[in-house]
Amino acid sequence: MTETLFTKIINRELPADIIYEDDHCIAIKDIAPKAPTHVLVIPKKPIPRLVDAAEEDQALLGHLMVAAGKIAAEAGVGDAFRLIINNGADVGQTVFHLHLHILGGKEFSEAQLGF
Ligand code: 5GP
């Protein structure tokens, strides 16, 4: 199977600004930030989209959420951040390896659900 872009980053085959790593995920700074703080939390398991996650991935998905809270705090946005998962090309998913966007450091309007 061809490695995803993010698997190459996880395996250090491509460079990235890695700010967190544990046994199950890494967090990197987004290369094209849409907010002052824009971090991607990426499972080491290359699940293409959220809807491709299976029952066996429940603990991993929970781990990503808990990790995201800690990573956001460490990235300096405290408890004010937005967490986004793009599922599918039609809503803007471009890298088909599941990832959570942590966005913070700016105000988001209530109506603005995207970046
Ligand atoms: P998506 O649109 O799939 O939800 O998000 C993919 C994100 O990955 C985008 O915000 C994009 O800027 C980011 N990205 C794409 N290629 C790279 C890369 O090579 N390095 C890093 N750090 N981020 C990337």
Side-chain angles (χ1 to χ4, degrees):
M1 204 172 94
T2 314
E3 282 187 342
T4 71
L5 170 70
F6 290 158
T7 294
K8 287 179 182 158
I9 288 174
I10 290 162
N11 293 338
R12 273 55 174 187
E13 292 159 14
L14 286 175
D17 198 342
I18 298 173
I19 62 166
Y20 174 87
E21 179 164 24
D22 64 29
D23 288 347
H24 305 291
C25 68
I26 64 165
I28 63 173
K29 290 189 181 173
D30 197 290
I31 203 167
K34 313 294 189 304
T37 296
H38 188 172
V39 172
L40 305 174
V41 183
I42 306 165
K44 291 186 173 175
K45 180 175 179 180
I47 300 166
R49 302 168 301 167
L50 181 64
V51 293
D52 298 313
E55 289 290 319
E56 67 189 31
D57 298 317
Q58 278 197 37
L60 174 59
L61 297 182
H63 178 81
L64 296 176
M65 300 285 278
V66 174
K70 292 181 197 161
I71 293 161
E74 281 171 24
V77 294
D79 58 2
F81 59 93
R82 183 162 284 185
L83 201 59
I84 290 176
I85 296 174
N86 291 321
N87 186 92
D90 287 351
V91 296
Q93 185 175 1
T94 57
V95 179
F96 288 83
H97 180 148
L98 178 66
H99 50 282
L100 283 57
H101 295 259
I102 297 171
L103 294 146
K106 74 169 194 179
E107 287 192 14
F108 294 91
S109 71
E110 260 182 57
Q112 182 201 354
L113 281 173
F115 295 136

